Amino acid sequence: MRKLLDVSPGKLHAMRASRQLSFMRIGGVIYYDRADIEKMFVKFKTAAVK
């Protein structure tokens, strides 16, 4: 996930804590739903300048 978003471990943790990024933790491993990530990209997308 860090590679996909190009963020630091602290930023990724902050995104989880602020509920910008949904996740589930199973046995100490954190998983992310691809559909949720795609929704986040659409939500924060900015318009291109012509």
Side-chain angles (χ1 to χ4, degrees):
M1 181 53 57
R2 284 187 47 226
K3 272 188 175 181
L4 179 66
L5 298 177
D6 192 29
V7 295
S8 68
K11 177 64 178 175
L12 190 59
H13 174 71
M15 291 173 77
R16 289 192 309 262
S18 68
R19 304 288 188 210
Q20 283 183 311
L21 187 58
S22 60
F23 68 97
M24 67 182 109
R25 183 185 308 258
I26 300 174
V29 178
I30 297 174
Y31 295 93
Y32 303 92
D33 185 359
R34 182 172 291 277
D36 291 340
I37 304 306
E38 290 170 2
K39 284 182 208 173
M40 185 184 72
F41 280 141
V42 170
K43 180 179 177 184
F44 291 104
K45 186 176 180 179
T46 59
V49 178
K50 289 186 177 184

